[in-house]
Amino acid sequence: MIFAIEEINNSTELLPGIKLGYQIYDSCASIPVAVHVTFQLSSGLDPVFYTGDNCSQSGTVMAIVGESGSTRSISMSRIIGPFNIPQVSYFATCACLSDKQQHPSFFRTIPSDQFQVDALAKLVKHFGWTWIGAIRSDSDYGNNGMSSFLDAAQKEGICVEYSESFYRTHPRSRIQRVADIIRRSTAVVVVAFTALGDMRILLEELSLKPSPPRQWIGTEAWVTDPDMLRFSFCAGAIGFGIEKSVIPGLRDFLLDLSPSKVAASPVLTEFWEEEFNCRLGQRSATEINACDGTEDIETIQSPYTDTSQLRITNMVYKAVYAIAHAIHNAMCQETHSITQCDKFTSIKSKQVLTQLKKVKFSQNGYDVSFDANGDPVATYELVNWQQSESGSIELVTVGHYDASLPVGQEFHINRNLTWMEGGTQVPLSVCSDSCPAGTRKVLQKGKPICCYDCILCPEGEISNATDSPECFPCSKEFWPNAKRDTCLPKPVEFLSFNEGLGIILAAFSVGGACLTIITAAVFHRHRTSPIVRANNSELSFLLLFSLTLCFLCSLTFIGAPSEWSCMLRHTAFGITFVLCMSCVLGKTIVVLMAFTATLPGRNFMKWFGPPQQRMTVVSFTSIQVIICTLWLVLSPPFPMKNLTTYKERIILECALGSAIGFWAVLGYIGLLAVFCFVLAVLARKLPDNFNEAKLITFSMLIFCAVWVTFIPAYVSSPGKFTVAVEIFAILASSFGLILCIFAPKCFIILFKPEKNTKKHLMNKTPDAGGSAYEGGVLLSVCEQFAKFASLSDWTTESWATDPDMLRFSFCAGTIGFGIEKSVIPGLRDFLLDLSPSKVAASPVLTEFWEEEFNCRLGQRSATEKNACDGTEDIEMIRSPYTDTSQLRITNMVYKAVYAIAHAIHNAMCQETHSITQCDKFTSMKSKQVLTQLKNVNFSQNGYDVSFDANGDTEATYELVNWQKTETGYIELVTVGHYDASLPVGQEFRINRNLTWVEGGTLVPLSVCTDSCPPGTRKMLQKEKPICCFDCIPCPLGEISNATDSPECFPCSKEFWPDAKRDTCLPKPVEFLSFNEGLGIILAAFSVGGACLTIMTAAVFHRHRTSPIVRANNSELSFLLLFSLTLCFLCSLTFIGAPSEWSCMLRHTAFGITFVLCMSCVLGKTIVVLMAFKATLPGRNVMKWFGPPQQRMTVVSFTSIQVVICTLWLVLSPPFPMKNLTTYKERIILECALGSAIGFWAVLGYIGLLAVFCFVLAVLARKLPDNFNEAKLITFSMLIFCAVWVTFIPAYVSSPGKFTVAVEIFAILASSFGLILCIFAPKCFIILFKPKKNTKKHLMNKNQF
């Protein structure tokens, strides 16, 4: 400062001819000292202007440079501001000093902390630190600076783990507590907004006990101080500092010290003696030697001589020059490039203040100016504490911050930084690691927003950014990848030619078509042969053509559905199958007509010749063509993307368009199949060599079994399996037709040509019985008030209880806290005790009197008012002066006076023997009153008065409400109380009803966003306060059960949200039960089947001596009926809630009973074969297969299944399981197989016996009909095999309880097939044709 003033005084350009004087004071960093000096300066204004060269006697203060501390500068500014004395600080950075309302004359050359906190927040954000600790000085500098920093940090998304304050004068325990918090914290980065002295004390405390490494972020107050570099554990610290600068000539000025100059200054004397360890002058004898004059200041290294880091020094330099320029502009004028200053001009500090606001100059390359707030342009250096090779810490400038640059360009780093412990990688300081893409942040309860958990995005949703607060659902045709960070197109699934299933089905389709073509070629090659000609070759070729189309039409079901393929596949299938059925029907009618025509007097063939046959085929086919045409015209099938069956993939399928059209097509085919089957059955007794009706009957049985099984399999199969089931049904029925009808003929043509003669075909010797010759198709089958307020406010006592404010009627309903109203006895009488003489003695009372009574007192200037005549009565008026019903602040004054009086009393008076004596001659100081005031504790008019350690009284408030009266006026009504001395939660009490804005009785609503109801969660709106949010419905499978829930949480595995998604309800448990329609129907058929079997057994038992029962092995028949009863009843074990025992019982009982059944059927078939062999000469086979062997056969075959089931139950038995994967919203209670090998072994063994039985039955098909039940067994085995072959794909593809329903359906269908095919014809003869139930009829071999 002295250097700058001397430089100015020697300048010929700045204030030429005028010398500046100065007086330097040391505040000793003490507020009282600073205030004391400020009062001296402000009250020492000397009206005398000295014109001489010696200005030392002048008391005129033009400006003040200082103070260095913000708190002291605030105190000084409040004192000198009213006097318009400019104050220029070089180190007071508190942003509060920029408030020109509070500090009108304050300027500074150092940037405001507001710029520094913005820079610090950007710095922390730049390095990705979101979890920091914060410490501050407990002063205006620290508290205001940290408050601004926390606001800026919050805007940048930075969270603070702790924010602690301390001051160097605090007890050591307070400093230790702050140090311990730093040691224990999880935040690696610590921002220290502290003064130099405070930071030094804290670091000294931290150095006493090792602590985890911390990355320190400092402010300009301490981070650039060279003395702080001794704390090596802070190596890597970074922070903003005032730019270092060069002041030419300063070093020479500082080094220009002679002993005389040093001796003239106490400060320099102390410095000199400390640096050279000697004493100057005649000082008291000490061990230190006297200085001898050889001391050289240039040889020492100290902060005094080091001018390489001029930071704050330059701020002082610029402050002095700014004041000099302001005085120059006020006193000097430039005329013809010559500056002239009138040193005799008297200027006032206000002129300097005015000019100071306008100064703008450059000194040593540094621009100096002030904005409207008295602040300079903010520029900082970013400094880094780096460890040198020698191990010492040095201060390195690594970047700059210039607030005048455009947004985003202020911050610039131009050198590498080193971090804590010498690291080169930016340290990590976060509460929670970043959430990767595919997850979302869920705030941890009760912690800042930077502390969160990373939750995997719900199914069907993704997040594609790090730290995403939300997951968002993919569009309908997209699905997340495995990481759930990208929406990928859902795989489109359809039955294609490139997959195994499609290739197999296509191969069978093409193979079937080729087989049909080969058959047609064989027939065409031998078209003149008797067997081709005898079987209506024209219809046979047409049937082969239609079968070729049937095989090929299944190819239209494979591949991606298109508009044309969807229409083609169903219509082509419907038309070709009807063409096929029409041909089979025509062949069956021809057989019937041909046989009927051979009878005397019959000539039916003329009515059903070739033209009629063609017409029949065309007519039946035309009806299907019409049905298909109407379907295509009105509502045709179309390709559709099925997005509901599977969420994770798209099923590309053909929608039916009109379900009525589809089922009409199928129904018509079924109608023709039934008609064909009936005609074939009627033709079963025709001569065998001429009759192909038996073959048609076989084919129709297969056709019907396949398509009846198709219906439930088609309905229950999901996705592409629906198409696969339909193709399987087409192929199975087509193969059934071609193999049953044409395979025997081709066999004769190719391998038995001797039978392909007219003689053989016309031979009527009965080597085989009648049956039926061609068949048909049987088609299937918020808190209290927290959410409210509009214009109403919770206000403060400063205005809510002021009676004058009640005139603003639009504020009716206002609520707020006010000081408790009270009563002061005698006050009203005191106020009303006014006489004209008392009033005239007080200007205030005079003004009040004249205004209230509209008159004038005494000899005043002439006005329109009349003179007061003394009749005015103060008691007659109503005014705040006379109203003592709302004494609030008045009572505070009353208690304050009494508190001081009690303090003085306690200091001056003593009580002796209940008599109080005060010594009025005792000299008393204010400090004594201060001491006593801390201890006062008394009661006055029922109000307790005392002070706590902070000088505060107990906090009690009234809750007041502005309520409108019936007359329309607003009155102040006390509606509640607040007492801070009560326990937590009991302080606040409302005891009266409130009225709200516009006189309403309902609490008004005042929220940024309405509360989020249960079932939703809050999602903060970007760049808005936390009270502004959107309400997002909880994802599928998650709930929120509280209002304004920040998160949704998933239900446990066995629970699922309700429709509102606010409660987890137990998932409905689904199984095939006796209470639902499907279960009731299946149970009814099971019981019905068992009853039918029992009734059959009763009929057989009643007629057990009849020939037909005895001839058909009655023992095995009864055992078969018994096993069939068990088969029907075992299906009941599949219905109902699975249990451990029912799961083991249902599969094993089913397996054993069906094997018992198959063993009986096998035994019966073997008996038929053996019986026929026994009738041949020289054969006595029956002795090898009598009743004991039959029983042994049944027991042996059944025992194998028992062993398989036993191993299954022992090693890995079925068990009840809750299936939580098939459907997310419900539980499928089912029986897990335990061992899939065991299950398929049981089924496989049953299939093996069925195939064996079928082969034996086919071998026995040529036996005499009346003696032979092998044909019936063959029919039953065909049905059995068709049902169970179709069962396998249906079982695998059916979900949930439909799996059980398919299995029960297969059990019932095969059981009904067995009982109806084997026993129904015999019961019919026993009950309705008793004439045939004779030994003669059974043994008659010349019937035909």
Side-chain angles (χ1 to χ4, degrees):
M1 178 178 169
I2 297 172
F3 169 75
I5 291 175
E6 289 188 4
E7 201 174 57
I8 292 167
N9 287 342
N10 294 327
S11 173
T12 57
E13 297 180 358
L14 187 61
L15 290 174
I18 296 177
K19 305 293 183 181
L20 295 178
Y22 61 88
Q23 186 71 45
I24 298 177
Y25 294 91
D26 186 1
S27 67
C28 300
S30 169
I31 296 175
V33 174
V35 170
H36 176 73
V37 171
T38 306
F39 272 119
Q40 283 186 327
L41 294 174
S42 61
S43 62
L45 299 178
D46 193 342
V48 179
F49 183 70
Y50 293 89
T51 59
D53 291 336
N54 186 3
C55 299
S56 62
Q57 296 181 3
S58 176
T60 305
V61 177
M62 292 294 102
I64 297 175
V65 177
E67 227 273 349
S68 61
S70 294
T71 302
R72 299 185 294 278
S73 294
I74 292 170
S75 302
M76 293 173 62
S77 176
R78 293 191 186 280
I79 295 169
I80 63 176
F83 297 106
N84 294 314
I85 300 174
Q87 175 188 0
V88 184
S89 175
Y90 53 87
F91 205 41
T93 57
C94 180
C96 58
L97 287 164
S98 298
D99 185 356
K100 292 294 106 178
Q101 297 293 326
Q102 299 290 329
H103 310 283
S105 64
F106 182 83
F107 298 84
R108 53 185 159 200
T109 53
I110 190 169
S112 164
D113 280 338
Q114 186 59 52
F115 298 104
Q116 183 172 206
V117 298
D118 288 341
L120 285 172
K122 287 183 172 67
L123 177 72
V124 173
K125 183 68 174 178
H126 175 78
F127 291 113
W129 298 320
T130 57
W131 185 240
I132 64 172
I135 57 172
R136 67 186 186 276
S137 293
D138 193 7
S139 62
D140 288 298
Y141 168 74
N143 291 330
N144 284 283
M146 184 55 71
S147 176
S148 299
F149 171 75
L150 294 179
D151 290 340
Q154 184 179 13
K155 292 176 183 177
E156 296 288 350
I158 300 164
C159 299
V160 179
E161 182 181 6
Y162 59 87
S163 179
E164 294 296 325
S165 65
F166 67 98
Y167 196 65
R168 54 182 171 269
T169 59
H170 284 163
R172 184 163 180 246
S173 59
R174 176 76 175 270
I175 309 297
Q176 287 176 329
R177 188 180 70 84
V178 175
D180 288 338
I181 289 173
I182 294 172
R183 293 187 184 103
R184 293 194 306 266
S185 69
T186 58
V188 175
V189 173
V190 182
V191 177
F193 218 106
T194 62
L196 176 62
D198 300 335
M199 193 63 187
R200 183 184 292 111
I201 291 174
L202 177 64
L203 292 183
E204 287 173 350
E205 179 62 37
L206 285 170
S207 65
L208 298 177
K209 183 180 177 181
S211 65
R214 292 289 180 261
Q215 179 61 52
W216 293 91
I217 310 295
T219 59
E220 88 295 330
W222 66 271
V223 78
T224 56
D225 190 279
D227 182 56
M228 299 295 286
L229 299 178
R230 61 190 172 92
F231 297 105
S232 59
F233 62 86
C234 291
I238 57 174
F240 290 104
I242 303 303
E243 289 185 302
K244 62 182 178 182
S245 55
V246 176
I247 302 177
L250 177 61
R251 178 175 171 79
D252 296 334
F253 174 80
L254 294 174
L255 297 179
D256 184 19
L257 288 181
S258 62
S260 59
K261 285 183 178 180
V262 172
S265 170
V267 175
L268 289 176
T269 299
E270 184 179 352
F271 162 71
W272 192 275
E273 292 181 344
E274 183 175 342
E275 285 295 328
F276 294 106
N277 196 25
C278 65
R279 56 183 175 81
L280 283 171
Q282 302 299 321
R283 307 279 302 276
S284 58
T286 64
E287 297 178 357
I288 302 176
N289 297 323
C291 299
D292 56 8
T294 61
E295 297 81 16
D296 186 0
I297 190 69
E298 295 188 19
T299 61
I300 65 173
Q301 289 288 331
S302 74
Y304 179 83
T305 60
D306 182 13
T307 58
S308 64
Q309 293 283 340
L310 298 180
R311 299 179 189 274
I312 307 304
T313 305
N314 193 43
M315 299 297 103
V316 178
Y317 184 75
K318 291 197 288 187
V320 174
Y321 263 92
I323 294 172
H325 275 275
I327 296 174
H328 178 92
N329 295 338
M331 296 184 66
C332 305
Q333 292 182 345
E334 186 173 347
T335 306
H336 304 297
S337 301
I338 299 174
T339 302
Q340 295 180 339
C341 300
D342 186 0
K343 63 181 179 179
F344 300 106
T345 300
S346 175
I347 64 170
K348 296 181 179 180
S349 60
K350 187 174 183 178
Q351 293 174 271
V352 179
L353 175 63
T354 302
Q355 294 299 328
L356 199 59
K357 296 176 182 179
K358 304 174 184 177
V359 295
K360 187 173 183 182
F361 63 95
S362 181
Q363 188 68 26
N364 296 333
Y366 300 102
D367 294 330
V368 180
S369 63
F370 302 103
D371 62 14
N373 297 320
D375 296 323
V377 174
T379 58
Y380 295 98
E381 283 183 352
L382 178 62
V383 295
N384 183 209
W385 290 16
Q386 296 187 4
Q387 197 160 17
S388 64
E389 294 180 357
S390 62
S392 61
I393 307 297
E394 59 183 19
L395 208 61
V396 179
T397 300
V398 294
H400 292 85
Y401 182 89
D402 188 345
S404 64
L405 295 177
V407 176
Q409 302 178 24
E410 311 98 328
F411 189 43
H412 177 62
I413 297 176
N414 50 25
R415 286 189 63 174
N416 292 332
L417 290 86
T418 61
W419 305 98
M420 59 182 192
E421 298 184 316
T424 57
Q425 297 293 326
V426 180
L428 189 66
S429 185
V430 293
C431 180
S432 301
D433 291 335
S434 294
C435 289
T439 63
R440 63 183 175 88
K441 298 195 299 185
V442 176
L443 299 183
Q444 293 178 0
K445 193 171 183 179
K447 290 189 177 182
I449 60 172
C450 299
C451 299
Y452 46 80
D453 296 318
C454 298
I455 304 299
L456 187 68
C457 285
E459 190 179 56
E461 297 186 10
I462 69 160
S463 65
N464 53 8
T466 303
D467 287 333
S468 175
E470 292 301 323
C471 297
F472 53 89
C474 295
S475 56
K476 287 185 177 180
E477 296 190 12
F478 288 77
W479 192 255
N481 60 352
K483 294 181 179 179
R484 299 190 183 180
D485 58 359
T486 304
C487 283
L488 301 176
K490 289 181 180 178
V492 178
E493 183 180 89
F494 55 88
L495 189 62
S496 73
F497 290 101
N498 299 323
E499 61 179 302
L501 182 59
I503 292 171
I504 292 171
L505 293 174
F508 273 98
S509 299
V510 174
C514 293
L515 179 63
T516 309
I517 293 170
I518 292 170
T519 303
V522 170
F523 264 52
H524 185 268
R525 174 70 180 80
H526 300 87
R527 61 186 178 277
T528 57
S529 65
I531 198 168
V532 175
R533 296 180 64 190
N535 284 285
N536 198 326
S537 60
E538 183 176 349
L539 285 181
S540 295
F541 281 113
L542 188 58
L543 177 58
L544 287 169
F545 171 72
S546 63
L547 281 173
T548 304
L549 295 180
C550 287
F551 279 115
L552 294 178
C553 82
S554 64
L555 295 176
T556 64
F557 288 80
I558 307 174
S562 64
E563 188 173 354
W564 285 101
S565 70
C566 285
M567 292 190 290
L568 178 63
R569 61 172 59 169
H570 289 103
T571 53
F573 152 69
I575 293 171
T576 55
F577 257 80
V578 165
L579 178 60
C580 179
M581 289 296 100
S582 300
C583 294
V584 173
L585 187 60
K587 288 172 73 68
T588 310
I589 295 173
V590 166
V591 171
L592 277 174
M593 294 298 151
F595 178 73
T596 306
T598 62
L599 299 178
R602 303 289 181 91
N603 192 18
F604 289 124
M605 284 304 294
K606 71 176 182 179
W607 302 108
F608 203 72
Q612 287 79 12
Q613 296 169 22
R614 299 187 196 103
M615 185 60 66
T616 300
V617 172
V618 171
S619 300
F620 284 128
T621 308
S622 299
I623 295 172
Q624 185 75 304
V625 170
I626 293 171
I627 294 173
C628 291
T629 302
L630 290 174
W631 184 13
L632 294 180
V633 170
L634 298 178
S635 183
F638 57 91
M640 180 189 74
K641 292 180 178 179
N642 183 342
L643 303 170
T644 57
T645 302
Y646 299 106
K647 293 179 181 176
E648 71 281 1
R649 59 184 185 270
I650 298 172
I651 305 298
L652 196 59
E653 61 186 16
C654 287
L656 295 177
S658 169
I660 296 174
F662 174 72
W663 293 110
V665 167
L666 279 189
Y668 183 62
I669 296 172
L671 180 65
L672 290 183
V674 171
F675 188 30
C676 192
F677 179 73
V678 171
L679 292 180
V681 170
L682 293 176
R684 72 188 184 282
K685 295 295 183 180
L686 299 184
D688 189 50
N689 284 6
F690 182 76
N691 183 15
E692 66 177 351
K694 296 177 183 178
L695 304 179
I696 294 174
T697 306
F698 275 120
S699 65
M700 288 299 101
L701 275 173
I702 294 174
F703 191 95
C704 293
V706 167
W707 285 97
V708 168
T709 311
F710 159 78
I711 293 174
Y714 179 83
V715 171
S716 62
S717 298
K720 65 182 180 181
F721 293 106
T722 305
V723 180
V725 166
E726 194 165 358
I727 294 174
F728 179 84
I730 292 171
L731 295 179
S733 53
S734 299
F735 274 111
L737 287 170
I738 192 169
L739 293 176
C740 288
I741 296 176
F742 292 99
K745 301 170 185 176
C746 289
F747 179 80
I748 292 173
I749 293 172
L750 298 175
F751 302 107
K752 297 287 186 179
E754 66 276 6
K755 292 185 179 182
N756 190 7
T757 62
K758 187 174 182 181
K759 179 181 178 181
H760 179 78
L761 293 175
M762 297 303 292
N763 184 10
K764 298 191 179 183
T765 55
D767 52 63
S771 181
Y773 196 82
E774 281 190 46
V777 177
L778 176 62
L779 186 64
S780 115
V781 143
C782 263
E783 297 86 16
Q784 183 183 26
F785 302 146
K787 304 173 182 166
F788 305 24
S790 166
L791 299 175
S792 295
D793 296 305
W794 289 88
T795 58
T796 62
E797 81 289 338
S798 59
W799 65 272
T801 55
D802 191 326
D804 183 55
M805 300 295 287
L806 300 179
R807 59 193 173 91
F808 298 108
S809 59
F810 61 85
C811 291
T814 294
I815 56 175
F817 289 107
I819 305 301
E820 288 186 302
K821 62 183 178 181
S822 56
V823 175
I824 303 177
L827 177 61
R828 177 174 171 80
D829 296 335
F830 173 80
L831 294 174
L832 297 179
D833 185 18
L834 289 181
S835 62
S837 58
K838 286 183 179 180
V839 172
S842 170
V844 175
L845 289 176
T846 298
E847 183 179 354
F848 162 70
W849 193 275
E850 290 181 343
E851 184 175 343
E852 286 295 330
F853 295 107
N854 196 26
C855 63
R856 55 186 176 82
L857 282 171
Q859 302 298 319
R860 304 206 38 203
S861 57
T863 64
E864 296 179 359
K865 295 181 180 179
N866 298 323
C868 299
D869 55 8
T871 61
E872 298 82 13
D873 187 357
I874 191 67
E875 296 188 19
M876 300 298 295
I877 65 173
R878 293 183 61 84
S879 73
Y881 179 83
T882 60
D883 182 14
T884 59
S885 64
Q886 294 283 340
L887 298 181
R888 299 179 188 275
I889 307 303
T890 305
N891 192 44
M892 298 299 104
V893 178
Y894 184 75
K895 291 197 290 185
V897 173
Y898 264 91
I900 295 172
H902 274 273
I904 297 173
H905 175 89
N906 294 338
M908 295 182 64
C909 304
Q910 292 182 347
E911 186 173 346
T912 306
H913 304 298
S914 302
I915 299 175
T916 302
Q917 293 181 339
C918 301
D919 186 359
K920 62 183 179 180
F921 300 105
T922 299
S923 175
M924 183 179 60
K925 296 182 179 180
S926 59
K927 188 174 182 179
Q928 294 175 271
V929 179
L930 175 61
T931 302
Q932 293 298 328
L933 200 57
K934 296 177 182 178
N935 301 323
V936 296
N937 191 346
F938 65 94
S939 181
Q940 187 70 25
N941 294 334
Y943 300 101
D944 295 329
V945 180
S946 63
F947 302 102
D948 61 15
N950 297 321
D952 297 322
T953 60
E954 289 185 353
T956 57
Y957 295 97
E958 284 183 351
L959 178 62
V960 295
N961 184 210
W962 291 16
Q963 296 186 4
K964 188 174 287 190
T965 63
E966 294 180 357
T967 58
Y969 290 102
I970 306 297
E971 65 178 1
L972 207 62
V973 178
T974 300
V975 294
H977 292 85
Y978 181 90
D979 188 346
S981 65
L982 295 177
V984 176
Q986 301 179 23
E987 310 99 327
F988 187 47
R989 181 168 56 89
I990 296 177
N991 50 25
R992 287 190 62 176
N993 293 332
L994 290 86
T995 60
W996 304 96
V997 58
E998 298 181 337
T1001 56
L1002 296 177
V1003 182
L1005 186 68
S1006 180
V1007 292
C1008 177
T1009 306
D1010 290 336
S1011 293
C1012 289
T1016 62
R1017 61 183 178 86
K1018 297 196 300 184
M1019 183 179 73
L1020 299 183
Q1021 295 177 357
K1022 195 173 183 180
E1023 297 180 355
K1024 288 190 177 182
I1026 60 173
C1027 298
C1028 300
F1029 46 82
D1030 296 319
C1031 298
I1032 305 299
C1034 288
L1036 192 69
E1038 297 186 10
I1039 69 159
S1040 64
N1041 53 9
T1043 303
D1044 288 333
S1045 175
E1047 289 304 322
C1048 298
F1049 53 89
C1051 295
S1052 57
K1053 287 185 178 180
E1054 296 190 11
F1055 287 78
W1056 193 255
D1058 59 354
K1060 295 182 178 179
R1061 299 189 184 179
D1062 59 359
T1063 304
C1064 283
L1065 301 177
K1067 289 182 181 178
V1069 178
E1070 182 180 271
F1071 55 88
L1072 188 62
S1073 75
F1074 289 102
N1075 298 321
E1076 61 180 301
L1078 182 59
I1080 292 170
I1081 291 171
L1082 293 174
F1085 272 98
S1086 299
V1087 174
C1091 293
L1092 179 63
T1093 309
I1094 294 169
M1095 291 169 61
T1096 302
V1099 170
F1100 264 50
H1101 185 267
R1102 173 71 179 80
H1103 301 87
R1104 59 188 178 276
T1105 58
S1106 64
I1108 198 167
V1109 176
R1110 295 180 65 192
N1112 284 285
N1113 199 324
S1114 60
E1115 182 177 349
L1116 286 180
S1117 295
F1118 282 113
L1119 188 57
L1120 176 58
L1121 287 169
F1122 170 72
S1123 63
L1124 281 174
T1125 304
L1126 295 180
C1127 287
F1128 280 115
L1129 294 178
C1130 80
S1131 63
L1132 295 176
T1133 63
F1134 288 81
I1135 306 174
S1139 64
E1140 187 173 356
W1141 284 102
S1142 69
C1143 286
M1144 291 191 291
L1145 179 63
R1146 61 172 59 170
H1147 290 102
T1148 53
F1150 150 68
I1152 294 170
T1153 54
F1154 257 79
V1155 165
L1156 178 61
C1157 180
M1158 289 296 100
S1159 301
C1160 293
V1161 173
L1162 188 60
K1164 288 173 73 67
T1165 310
I1166 294 172
V1167 166
V1168 171
L1169 277 175
M1170 294 299 141
F1172 179 73
K1173 296 285 185 181
T1175 61
L1176 299 179
R1179 299 289 183 92
N1180 192 17
V1181 182
M1182 283 304 294
K1183 70 177 181 178
W1184 302 107
F1185 202 76
Q1189 288 77 15
Q1190 296 170 22
R1191 298 187 196 103
M1192 185 59 67
T1193 300
V1194 172
V1195 171
S1196 299
F1197 284 125
T1198 307
S1199 297
I1200 295 173
Q1201 184 76 302
V1202 171
V1203 171
I1204 295 173
C1205 291
T1206 303
L1207 290 173
W1208 182 14
L1209 294 180
V1210 170
L1211 297 178
S1212 182
F1215 57 90
M1217 180 188 75
K1218 292 180 178 178
N1219 182 345
L1220 302 171
T1221 57
T1222 303
Y1223 300 104
K1224 292 184 177 176
E1225 71 282 0
R1226 59 185 185 269
I1227 298 172
I1228 304 298
L1229 197 58
E1230 61 186 16
C1231 286
L1233 295 178
S1235 169
I1237 296 174
F1239 174 72
W1240 292 110
V1242 167
L1243 275 190
Y1245 184 61
I1246 295 173
L1248 181 64
L1249 291 183
V1251 171
F1252 188 30
C1253 191
F1254 178 71
V1255 171
L1256 291 180
V1258 170
L1259 293 176
R1261 71 188 185 282
K1262 296 295 185 179
L1263 300 185
D1265 189 49
N1266 286 5
F1267 181 76
N1268 180 16
E1269 66 176 349
K1271 295 177 182 178
L1272 303 178
I1273 294 174
T1274 306
F1275 277 120
S1276 65
M1277 288 299 101
L1278 275 172
I1279 295 174
F1280 188 92
C1281 293
V1283 167
W1284 285 97
V1285 169
T1286 310
F1287 158 78
I1288 293 173
Y1291 179 83
V1292 172
S1293 62
S1294 299
K1297 64 182 180 181
F1298 293 107
T1299 306
V1300 180
V1302 166
E1303 195 166 359
I1304 295 174
F1305 179 84
I1307 293 171
L1308 295 178
S1310 53
S1311 299
F1312 273 112
L1314 287 170
I1315 192 170
L1316 293 176
C1317 288
I1318 296 175
F1319 292 99
K1322 300 171 186 176
C1323 289
F1324 179 79
I1325 292 173
I1326 292 170
L1327 298 176
F1328 303 106
K1329 297 287 186 178
K1331 293 180 180 180
K1332 293 184 178 183
N1333 189 6
T1334 62
K1335 185 175 181 179
K1336 179 181 178 181
H1337 179 79
L1338 293 175
M1339 297 302 293
N1340 184 9
K1341 296 189 179 184
N1342 300 311
Q1343 184 178 346
F1344 299 104

